[in-house]
Amino acid sequence: MTSDGDGDGDGDGKGDSGPCWERRLRQKDLTAVGDVRAALRELLARWGAPGRADTARLLASELVTNALVHTDGGAVVTVTLSGGDAAEAKGRLRVEVRDFVARRPTLHRAGLDGDPESVIAGAATSGRGLLLVHSLADAWGVRAHGVGKSVWFELEAQEP
């Protein structure tokens, strides 16, 4: 269901893209995280099954925060909703956050080994964002660019 590969997923949006939103974020501007959530709230007001838009906002927040905290440059957020006229009911949402550092993000797997103590022992205030993306997205991945990378996730309007 989820992937951390280099591919760009099944939903490339070509030919059937619906609303698209893009914003460039300044370096270390963490107020932009709330701005992205607000923009997604508006864009996805009638999209998907109950809770899907909330999941999208959570995952987008994690990717934006990672890009702004763990890189030395800004980021570009692109949101695409594919599915043509029926996108609100059954479309596929793709959120992509591009930064300008080639270093790949690390998926912290603390607690995935079934040992709840490893989560408590490693209870940090950061480092679990990609674990959320890995757990909740229908698909996700990292794609290299000439300068930097894009980390993306996709969600179907209805849970699979």
Side-chain angles (χ1 to χ4, degrees):
M1 184 180 298
T2 59
S3 166
D4 60 355
D6 288 325
D8 61 0
D10 297 329
D12 64 8
K14 293 178 183 170
D16 63 344
S17 292
C20 185
W21 176 85
E22 185 172 282
R23 181 166 296 160
R24 185 173 181 94
L25 310 176
R26 292 186 318 269
Q27 178 180 356
K28 307 292 183 191
D29 180 11
L30 293 179
T31 62
V33 177
D35 296 342
V36 169
R37 277 195 308 261
L40 279 173
R41 183 176 293 112
E42 183 177 324
L43 180 67
L44 302 177
R46 293 178 304 278
W47 175 79
R52 295 302 272 174
D54 294 333
T55 300
R57 286 192 301 274
L58 171 66
L59 300 183
S61 295
E62 294 297 335
L63 293 188
V64 169
T65 300
N66 283 350
L68 295 176
V69 169
H70 299 294
T71 67
D72 293 329
V76 178
V77 180
T78 305
V79 178
T80 307
L81 188 57
S82 61
D85 293 338
E88 287 185 356
K90 58 184 177 180
R92 186 170 185 92
L93 173 73
R94 180 180 177 100
V95 176
E96 188 166 329
V97 179
R98 180 177 181 193
D99 64 47
F100 304 97
V101 175
R103 182 181 65 248
R104 294 177 66 86
T106 303
L107 176 62
H108 294 276
R109 302 185 73 84
L112 292 182
D113 58 3
D115 178 13
E117 294 300 317
S118 65
V119 174
I120 295 168
T125 58
S126 66
R128 305 298 186 265
L130 281 182
L131 183 56
L132 285 172
V133 174
H134 176 78
S135 298
L136 298 175
D138 295 330
W140 77 280
V142 179
R143 184 172 46 141
H145 282 279
V147 176
K149 66 186 169 300
S150 288
V151 183
W152 57 268
F153 73 84
E154 294 180 349
L155 287 173
E156 295 289 342
Q158 307 299 318
E159 289 196 52

